[in-house]
Amino acid sequence: MIIKGIDVAKWNGIIDWKKVKKSGVEFVILKAIDKSLEKEAAFERNYAGAKDEGLPVDVYNYSYATTIQKAVGDANRLVEAIEGKEIDRVWLDIEDVCYRTLGNGNIKEIVLAYKRVIEKNGYLFGVYTGLSFYNEHFRGYNFFYDFPFWIARYPKTSVMELGDMPDASKKPSIVNDLWGWQYTSNGRIPGISGAVDISLLYGIEKLDKKNETIATGTGIVEYSLKKDGEKFISNNFKVKEFRCKDGSDIIKIDVDFVKEYLQTIRDYFGVPVTINSAYRTEAYNKKVGGASNSYHMKGQAFDIVVKGKQPEAVAMFAKQIGVKGVIRYNTFTHIDSRENRYHAINNNGKVTVL
């Protein structure tokens, strides 16, 4: 299924959303904050108009963030601006000349830092950019990016109506998930004066499918292996990966910790993370010789192996991002969501507290 939509901002003027909807537009992406991080002047008006016509709304932020600190600040400001709104996905528009002198590794860290804030607040995330920018800055690091891309490429500069189709042979070719193609910046839509961007969205079926398989809840949540096992806690982790090894149906998981820390570890290293042990029933914990007050029984502990990475490197990164409970074993790394910091090394039973 392919549908068409538009993205608009204050420079598109006063929009007649009834005419826009009647013309056949099926989704809208709105600019949410401006360069000064204030709410975009037309955002509230455009959001209300689009929603009144039943149009699904995403938002975007044109980014000038050249440091992780600014990326996090910008993302938090955007979250504040859209609070209370029904928004599906937040798009980070990254194409400005300020990125031309940054290394691709630095761009990766900025994007992933922004992404963590957006997803922590319950929104889906994606990146908008031009095809040439993607090829230069994203393609070589594609294995770090498990989110979709919305790519701009304009094969035709003349005026295009909503019913006109772009040359299919010019569809952007990328190695990541192509969610949408912005194929013109010179579109004409009834209800909007002047030129407007028009996009084809390829990912609507994938979005619907993923929304059906998201495990809901915050804090420590009790799931059913049978009912919830195939649902996603975060982009890369399913409920079933946290099950007790004794086959119990009940699974307790600290959902916030998985989203904020475990997923961050997965994003940073860009390789699969195997969970050797997560939730344990009291009986199973006793059977394997776990501590009587083990965080595993509360769904707050995770013994992980990051493919191709030494436990020392994993433990070091976990501490850097603020994980309170970190114990490095010889073959795996234990992380947990305890409140007080405890960092240690367990060498065949000999524990050294750091």
Side-chain angles (χ1 to χ4, degrees), residues 17-314:
W17 286 101
K18 288 187 180 298
K19 290 183 179 179
V20 169
K21 176 65 181 293
K22 188 176 180 179
S23 73
V25 168
E26 295 179 270
F27 70 91
V28 181
I29 305 175
L30 305 177
K31 189 176 184 183
I33 57 177
D34 59 24
K35 188 175 183 178
S36 64
L37 303 184
E38 295 300 319
K39 188 179 293 186
E40 222 266 343
F43 175 66
E44 292 287 353
R45 180 180 71 240
N46 284 333
Y47 177 83
K51 281 298 181 182
D52 283 347
E53 298 305 316
L55 291 168
V57 175
D58 286 359
V59 297
Y60 75 93
N61 167 208
Y62 187 96
S63 179
Y64 300 93
T66 56
T67 66
I68 290 175
Q69 182 179 11
K70 179 163 173 53
V72 170
D74 289 3
N76 280 314
R77 180 66 193 100
L78 184 141
V79 168
E80 292 175 3
I82 64 176
E83 184 178 3
K85 301 289 193 297
E86 186 182 350
I87 304 295
D88 289 325
R89 189 177 296 273
V90 172
W91 294 96
L92 179 61
D93 182 344
I94 184 165
E95 57 180 307
D96 194 77
V97 293
C98 67
Y99 292 103
R100 300 295 179 182
T101 58
L102 287 185
N104 292 349
N106 291 332
I107 292 176
K108 177 201 72 175
E109 296 300 329
I110 288 167
V111 170
L112 294 183
Y114 195 103
K115 170 180 178 283
R116 287 193 290 271
V117 174
I118 297 305
E119 292 185 337
K120 181 181 178 181
N121 284 277
Y123 301 102
L124 297 169
F125 174 81
V127 161
Y128 166 90
T129 193
L131 182 60
S132 61
F133 193 100
Y134 171 88
N135 287 332
E136 182 178 354
H137 298 287
F138 287 104
R139 183 177 288 272
Y141 280 69
N142 65 288
F143 48 85
F144 286 103
Y145 305 128
D146 59 356
F147 48 79
F149 281 79
W150 170 28
I151 299 293
R153 187 187 193 190
Y154 308 146
K156 188 176 179 181
T157 58
S158 58
V159 171
M160 296 188 73
E161 306 292 337
L162 187 65
D164 297 335
M165 289 296 291
D167 183 349
S169 68
K170 302 296 184 180
K171 177 182 175 181
S173 176
I174 65 174
V175 291
N176 294 95
D177 186 6
L178 179 63
W179 211 250
W181 173 18
Q182 187 187 85
Y183 62 87
T184 183
S185 60
N186 200 16
R188 294 295 186 271
I189 303 291
I192 303 178
S193 299
V196 64
D197 302 330
I198 305 178
S199 296
L200 289 172
L201 181 61
Y202 301 99
I204 192 68
E205 290 178 336
K206 298 177 186 177
L207 175 60
D208 289 342
K209 184 177 179 181
K210 186 168 185 180
N211 280 340
E212 293 173 357
T213 59
I214 294 293
T216 58
T218 59
I220 299 173
V221 181
E222 184 175 297
Y223 296 106
S224 161
L225 176 61
K226 183 178 180 180
K227 295 180 179 179
D228 306 310
E230 292 297 327
K231 294 182 178 179
F232 284 92
I233 294 293
S234 65
N235 278 348
N236 292 99
F237 296 100
K238 289 185 176 182
V239 168
K240 66 180 182 181
E241 297 178 68
F242 302 88
R243 66 189 181 277
C244 181
K245 301 301 183 184
D246 67 1
S248 300
D249 183 63
I250 292 176
I251 309 174
K252 293 180 181 179
I253 308 172
D254 187 336
V255 172
D256 296 335
F257 185 85
V258 171
K259 291 180 178 178
E260 183 170 357
Y261 294 110
L262 193 54
Q263 184 62 48
T264 298
I265 291 171
R266 172 65 174 79
D267 290 341
Y268 177 78
F269 288 105
V271 294
V273 174
T274 300
I275 302 171
N276 285 346
S277 180
Y279 174 63
R280 297 175 188 166
T281 62
E282 184 177 350
Y284 186 75
N285 185 66
K286 185 176 181 179
K287 179 181 178 180
V288 298
S292 60
N293 61 343
S294 172
Y295 285 93
H296 284 284
M297 293 190 295
K298 305 172 186 177
Q300 294 179 259
F302 314 89
D303 296 341
I304 63 173
V305 174
V306 180
K307 184 177 181 180
K309 307 299 177 182
Q310 293 298 317
E312 181 178 6
V314 178

